[in-house]
Amino acid sequence: MAELTLDTARKILDAALAKATELKLKPLVVTILDPRGVIKLAAAQDGTSLMRAEIAHGKAYGALALGMGSRALYQRAQEQAYFIDAVNTMARGALVPVPGGVLIMDGTTLLGAVGVSGDTSDNDEACAIAGIEAAGLKANAG
C-alpha cells in the first residue's frame, strides 16, 4: 500500500470505534490525517464534548509534525517543555502532546496518523492502535 485510501481510513475508524464500544468508553472523536496533515476522515460519536474534534486533530497533527506518536511527544514535553512549546508556537498551537495520536505505518512507509479524543489519553491511544492494526497496518504510538 503506497497511500492511505479512504477505504482503509474507514476500516481504521470503524475498528477504533468498535474498540471504544467494547471498552465502554465515553463518546470519542476520531480524526485520520494523510501524511501531509490533510484530513482523510473524521467522525464524532453522539454526545462528544466541546473541543474533542480539535484535540483529536491536534494529537494526530503533532504526531505527523514531529514524526513520532504523541506518547513520545508527551514524554518529550516532560523533559524539554521549552522545545515542545516552541514547536507548538511555530505550529500556531496545533499540537496536542498527549497520548492518543498514533502514526500509521506500512512497513517503513508513513501513511498518516490517527488522533482520538474523548476518554482518557491511554484509552484514546488504545482505540487508535486497535483501528490501525485492524486495517493490517503498524501503529507507532511513540
Side-chain angles (χ1 to χ4, degrees), residues 27-54:
L28 300 181
V29 172
V30 178
T31 300
I32 302 170
L33 304 179
D34 74 11
R36 304 167 299 150
V38 175
I39 294 174
K40 191 70 170 185
L41 191 63
Q45 291 183 300
D46 296 340
T48 57
S49 60
L50 188 62
M51 297 290 300
R52 289 298 172 192
E54 291 86 351

Side-chain angles (χ1 to χ4, degrees), residues 6-116:
L6 183 58
D7 184 53
T8 299
R10 285 180 176 148
K11 288 177 187 173
I12 293 169
L13 173 71
D14 290 344
L17 294 177
K19 184 69 169 179
T21 299
E22 173 191 325
L23 297 175
K24 299 180 179 167
L25 303 183
K26 294 177 185 174
L28 300 181
V29 172
V30 178
T31 300
I32 302 170
L33 304 179
D34 74 11
R36 304 167 299 150
V38 175
I39 294 174
K40 191 70 170 185
L41 191 63
Q45 291 183 300
D46 296 340
T48 57
S49 60
L50 188 62
M51 297 290 300
R52 289 298 172 192
E54 291 86 351
I55 295 167
H57 185 275
K59 288 179 179 185
Y61 185 81
L64 283 174
L66 292 173
M68 61 183 77
S70 62
R71 180 170 293 279
L73 295 180
Y74 174 75
Q75 185 62 37
R76 187 103 185 246
Q78 302 303 306
E79 297 167 1
Q80 295 179 311
Y82 290 112
F83 174 75
I84 295 297
D85 185 52
V87 171
N88 205 8
T89 298
M90 289 186 287
R92 295 181 177 93
L95 307 181
V96 179
V98 298
V102 181
L103 296 174
I104 306 166
M105 306 295 298
D106 185 10
T108 59
T109 303
L110 175 66
L111 299 182
V114 178
V116 179

